[in-house]
Amino acid sequence: MASAKPSHTALRFSWRTFLFGVVLLGLMFASHDRFHGAFERMDLIAYDLRINTIAPHPSSGLVAIAAVDDRSIAQLGQWPWPRLVLARLVDALKDYKVNVIGFDAIFSEPDKSDVTRGEIGEKLAGLGLKHDAIGEVLGPGNDQAFATAMKSHGLTVLGYAFEGHHTEGHSGSVKTAGFLDKIRPPGPLGYGIVRQAPGKSPQLIEAYAYSPPIPLLNDAAHSIGYFDVDADADGEIRAEMTVIRFDGRYCAPLFIAVADAYAGGASMVLGLDPNGVSGVSVAGVRIPVDDTGRMLVNFRRGANPFPQYSISDIINRKIAPDKLAGKIVLVGATAHGLGDRGVTPVNGDMARVEIHANAIDNMIQGDFIRRPIEAQEIALVGTLLIGIVMSLGVAWLSALSSAALGVILLVGYYAYAQTRLLHDGLVIGVVFPLLTAVLMYMVLAGYRYITEGREKRHLRVAFEHYLNPDVITSVLDSPQGLKLGGERRHLAILFADIVSFTKRAERTEPEDLVALLNTYMTSMIDVIFKTGGVVDKLMGDGIMAFWGAPNELENPSRSAIDCALKMLENLRGLQKNDPRFVDLDIGIGISSGDVVVGNFGGENRFDYSVIGDTVNFASRLEGLTRHFKVHLLVSRVTYTEAGAGFIGRELGLVKVKGKELLVPIVDVAGRDNDSRDPSFYRHFGDALTMIRAGDILSARAELERLGEARPDDTPVRIYLDKLAADPEHPPADMVFEFETK
């Protein structure tokens, strides 16, 4: 069967559907603006799913965790431990040549043993003992031991907590005991360079009180950073806050304080503009943040991305030296009973110290995940384009094609978003664009089905009994085509007639003749339809058909020749099985070229048909089959366009009535590899080549051999007669002129 594809004339554009789509798209954007929070939460859920589908990025191997785990608690006692234990830990880590130590713990109160020690000291002082003597009796305090160990190491960072933090200029008034509303020297680590763009001061995340380490430890630490972490609206932790404004200082978090110590105390720069935080950089590494200064954490996945070692094992020197040498070690609680845990996109129960470890590793490797304002703009522009294309598709294409277009848009956009996430770390929202595409297709397709389905069903019932199915489809897809006029197209035209039908009609009863014609036409028309052709007219015993409209075909000429050969095969079948067809023969002519195809007639009655010289020539070729006593004549243009696979011979040049142009014609006898001998037709072509070359003697000899092989072949006889007509002036080519059809 011929391969057909819809032509551009079959496409119907529904302006009503498109305009309704534009209105629906506007409503989608209004809904996005009205329910922005809901869309944001859905995008967060989608982000969790997306981040878990991409290949995990390995950790740098430079960050490890000294874990307050169940093993350490069992050996060292209930947490929090005496500061003397922590002093031993710092000394052990120093011996392991750890580069930076970060404590994800709070030290806002003196060690309990030191409190008791102070009380005893006061009693001894009351008994008259001097301060030095008391010190010799009681020995150094635990906090002092911890401070001494930190000073000895040199790069130990302590954590602290804020008493609530907030945005939009909101501030609290109640301060919990132990929290300070003013910075106590030396104060927390802050940004050394703050670049404020012109304009109003931005509204940042602010805090109204903090709980710093006790002065002894604060002074001994390299720096201190807050370890506060905010969860999103759904309770998951996806980001770290890079800056909180407190008492006029722009404070840095623990993970940046640790990274800064690892970088040797390099410059820390904070950029601000009227919208909020415009940029954060530490040691030349630019950290992508949103307007509030939040940095999305690129969580490491896989088995144990950050090795954890029990603190008891570290203190007892049970860890191999190479496991910790030169690394950053975070000290924090991992035991479930201590509760310092959170939900993240990659782990439903992650110790918060691991969250800080991930953030530090992001800074070391620079593989941040970004969600800047331009990512939101990309999502909105993508939604706009998807909505417009979806409206155009549903308004123009069939339901199946528009559904395929929707799938392409969905998959294409999601693939683009995932590619940017994987290669650029850019988080582009997917929920709003994809939801818009799905809803718009469902609503618009339903709308078009409801408004146009009834019209199509009515037209199909009206036309299906007397129009070709392809034409009916074209009419249904483009009802506006039901008007006069046409377009120029390149088609293949076929005419077929029963030989000597008039004489048969004279000797056959009308009822029998009609029955014979019905059987014949049914067989022939089925072949035409199966090869993608359109039956233009039934003219008594004659058939006119064409290929290439309204549906375009890959090769109309080949489809027409295939149809003609199949028609001849069907006729042979009828001759074999039905005695009425034993002596019935047909002639077929095919011509290919540019014609005008469309609706022709009057305003109230017209036919879908074709007009042009190509049509007239196809009709004349059908008539010439009687002269040459062959079944199928085609123009050489048709034969050439059809391509290989057929057995044929050029018969020469034909000058038809009313035309000066000589047109080469070809007798098509069958297909390659069928029962016919192609050598006969090849030798006939050789004879024609000899005539054109002036080698008449060789041509005559070749034709005589062919005549002996097939005495009933009319073209051979005609050639020999023309060569014998004037031996003194042989023809330079075989030209046939006919004044009638």
Side-chain angles (χ1 to χ4, degrees):
M1 183 174 176
S3 173
K5 53 183 179 180
S7 73
H8 62 280
T9 59
L11 297 177
R12 177 188 182 186
F13 186 79
S14 172
W15 280 103
R16 289 185 301 176
T17 303
F18 174 70
L19 293 177
F20 181 54
V22 172
V23 173
L24 183 60
L25 182 61
L27 292 175
M28 289 298 298
F29 271 90
S31 300
H32 181 267
D33 185 62
R34 174 67 177 83
F35 303 104
H36 182 75
F39 280 103
E40 186 72 15
R41 284 190 291 275
M42 288 188 288
D43 251 328
L44 291 176
I45 296 173
Y47 167 76
D48 294 346
L49 298 174
R50 294 167 59 196
I51 204 70
N52 282 286
T53 61
I54 63 176
H57 194 288
S59 64
S60 64
L62 295 176
V63 183
I65 295 174
V68 182
D69 56 5
D70 294 330
R71 176 186 176 86
S72 296
I73 292 174
Q75 295 185 16
L76 300 175
Q78 182 180 356
W79 175 263
W81 299 317
R83 305 276 164 78
L84 183 61
V85 174
L86 300 182
R88 293 169 57 197
L89 171 63
V90 172
D91 287 338
L93 292 174
K94 177 186 175 185
D95 293 341
Y96 276 115
K97 295 182 171 49
V98 167
N99 196 320
V100 178
I101 304 171
F103 277 88
D104 180 25
I106 194 165
F107 302 102
S108 58
E109 296 179 354
D111 185 276
K112 292 181 179 180
S113 297
D114 284 5
V115 173
T116 303
R117 179 179 178 278
E119 293 173 353
I120 295 174
E122 290 178 0
K123 292 180 180 180
L124 292 176
L127 296 175
L129 286 176
K130 295 183 178 180
H131 181 73
D132 293 341
I134 295 173
E136 290 179 4
V137 171
L138 298 179
N142 289 352
D143 284 327
Q144 182 61 56
F146 187 27
T148 301
M150 287 193 292
K151 286 183 178 180
S152 177
H153 178 260
L155 290 176
T156 299
V157 180
L158 298 182
Y160 67 93
F162 281 114
E163 171 66 6
H165 47 268
H166 42 81
T167 55
E168 303 297 329
H170 172 78
S171 61
S173 57
V174 179
K175 179 167 65 69
T176 303
F179 282 80
L180 308 177
D181 56 8
K182 294 293 182 181
I183 290 177
R184 183 179 62 197
L189 178 67
Y191 288 90
I193 302 174
V194 179
R195 294 173 177 163
Q196 174 78 55
K200 66 177 183 178
S201 297
Q203 292 182 333
L204 304 178
I205 300 175
E206 297 180 298
Y208 52 84
Y210 83 127
S211 179
I214 61 175
L216 177 63
L217 302 182
N218 197 350
D219 293 341
H222 176 271
S223 60
I224 64 172
Y226 63 84
F227 47 67
D228 300 61
V229 176
D230 261 357
D232 289 319
D234 60 353
E236 285 198 15
I237 299 172
R238 299 179 179 88
E240 288 257 25
M241 298 175 289
T242 60
V243 59
I244 292 179
R245 184 162 54 192
F246 171 63
D247 193 24
R249 178 175 294 191
Y250 297 97
C251 302
L254 176 65
F255 80 92
I256 285 183
V258 170
D260 174 68
Y262 184 76
S267 61
M268 296 171 53
V269 181
L270 174 67
L272 301 175
D273 61 25
N275 295 320
V277 179
S278 59
V280 174
S281 65
V282 177
V285 177
R286 186 173 179 83
I287 304 173
V289 295
D290 62 14
D291 290 343
T292 64
R294 299 175 192 269
M295 179 197 87
L296 280 173
V297 178
N298 188 0
F299 286 97
R300 310 310 185 200
R301 288 177 285 140
N304 198 28
F306 302 102
Q308 299 183 14
Y309 305 104
S310 294
I311 289 178
S312 59
D313 289 342
I314 295 174
I315 292 175
N316 294 322
R317 307 317 199 263
K318 292 182 178 181
I319 308 300
D322 62 316
K323 300 293 185 181
L324 296 173
K327 294 186 178 181
I328 296 171
V329 173
L330 293 181
V331 181
T334 62
H336 285 76
L338 299 179
D340 192 17
R341 311 182 74 82
V343 179
T344 69
V346 300
N347 190 334
D349 186 26
M350 178 179 285
R352 295 198 177 217
V353 67
E354 291 186 60
I355 298 175
H356 301 316
N358 277 277
I360 294 170
D361 202 65
N362 289 175
M363 294 193 62
I364 292 174
Q365 299 199 64
D367 60 334
F368 300 102
I369 291 180
R370 304 176 294 120
R371 197 184 184 191
I373 188 66
E374 51 263 34
Q376 302 175 36
E377 294 171 351
I378 291 173
L380 294 177
V381 171
T383 304
L384 180 63
L385 293 177
I386 287 174
I388 292 175
V389 173
M390 199 73 258
S391 299
L392 289 170
V394 177
W396 198 349
L397 304 174
S398 67
L400 183 61
S401 297
S402 58
L405 174 64
V407 172
I408 292 172
L409 291 174
L410 290 172
V411 174
Y413 181 83
Y414 184 79
Y416 169 76
Q418 282 297 91
T419 300
R420 295 299 303 270
L421 177 60
L422 178 62
H423 296 289
D424 302 333
L426 187 66
V427 181
I428 300 174
V430 297
V431 171
F432 182 49
L434 302 188
L435 185 62
T436 297
V438 172
L439 288 180
M440 289 194 66
Y441 172 76
M442 294 174 62
V443 174
L444 294 180
Y447 170 78
R448 188 168 186 184
Y449 174 80
I450 293 172
T451 57
E452 300 178 8
R454 183 177 301 174
E455 177 186 355
K456 286 190 175 184
R457 289 190 292 272
H458 172 74
L459 289 173
R460 182 172 292 279
V461 170
F463 288 107
E464 66 183 356
H465 295 296
Y466 56 91
L467 280 185
N468 172 273
D470 283 338
V471 179
I472 295 176
T473 301
S474 179
V475 169
L476 294 180
D477 288 340
S478 185
Q480 66 269 25
L482 292 176
K483 60 184 180 180
L484 296 180
E487 62 175 335
R488 182 172 293 275
R489 299 278 289 277
H490 189 84
L491 307 183
I493 314 297
L494 177 147
F495 277 82
D497 260 349
I498 297 176
V499 177
S500 301
F501 179 75
T502 302
K503 293 181 180 180
R504 180 180 295 271
E506 292 173 352
R507 65 175 187 266
T508 307
E509 291 296 327
E511 293 83 1
D512 295 336
L513 187 64
V514 170
L516 180 143
L517 281 176
N518 286 342
T519 302
Y520 166 76
M521 290 295 183
T522 299
S523 178
M524 301 299 116
I525 291 173
D526 284 347
V527 176
I528 294 171
F529 285 174
K530 288 178 180 179
T531 55
V534 174
V535 176
D536 187 308
K537 295 177 181 66
L538 299 179
M539 305 160 291
D541 63 311
I543 300 173
M544 174 184 172
F546 56 85
W547 285 257
N551 290 342
E552 292 181 356
L553 296 177
E554 183 177 348
N555 192 330
S557 296
R558 189 174 189 88
S559 297
I561 293 179
D562 279 335
C563 176
L565 293 175
K566 183 62 178 174
M567 290 169 70
L568 294 171
E569 291 176 13
N570 283 10
L571 178 60
R572 287 192 288 272
L574 291 173
Q575 291 169 340
K576 181 178 179 181
N577 299 313
D578 192 332
R580 296 176 299 170
F581 291 90
V582 170
D583 60 343
L584 188 143
D585 200 3
I586 63 174
I588 303 173
I590 301 174
S591 179
S592 300
D594 289 345
V595 298
V596 176
V597 58
N599 295 310
F600 305 103
E603 289 290 342
N604 298 319
R605 180 67 174 89
F606 47 82
D607 291 321
Y608 188 77
S609 185
V610 293
I611 58 175
D613 287 343
T614 301
V615 179
N616 300 331
F617 188 59
S619 176
R620 289 183 171 89
L621 285 177
E622 182 275 319
L624 291 180
T625 58
R626 277 75 158 172
H627 178 78
F628 289 103
K629 299 294 189 297
V630 295
H631 292 100
L632 175 57
L633 285 178
V634 305
S635 67
R636 190 166 67 184
V637 170
T638 300
Y639 192 74
T640 302
E641 289 180 357
F646 300 107
I647 299 173
R649 56 178 169 177
E650 184 177 336
L651 296 183
L653 304 174
V654 172
K655 183 179 180 183
V656 296
K657 183 180 179 180
K659 298 291 181 182
E660 296 298 325
L661 183 66
L662 296 176
V663 182
I665 62 173
V666 178
D667 166 29
V668 180
R671 299 181 180 86
D672 288 348
N673 302 319
D674 64 11
S675 60
R676 295 185 179 273
D677 180 13
S679 63
F680 177 83
Y681 299 90
R682 186 169 59 251
H683 289 308
F684 187 92
D686 294 340
L688 180 59
T689 301
M690 295 172 189
I691 293 172
R692 289 171 174 170
D695 190 0
I696 304 302
L697 293 178
S698 298
R700 182 182 288 110
E702 186 69 49
L703 290 169
E704 288 173 350
R705 284 192 294 271
L706 294 175
E708 292 174 359
R710 293 189 183 180
D712 59 345
D713 188 80
T714 299
V716 171
R717 179 181 54 78
I718 292 175
Y719 267 45
L720 289 172
D721 290 346
K722 287 183 73 70
L723 293 178
D726 189 358
E728 298 299 326
H729 301 89
D733 205 335
M734 285 296 174
V735 179
F736 304 92
E737 184 172 353
F738 302 94
E739 292 300 322
T740 62
K741 179 181 173 183

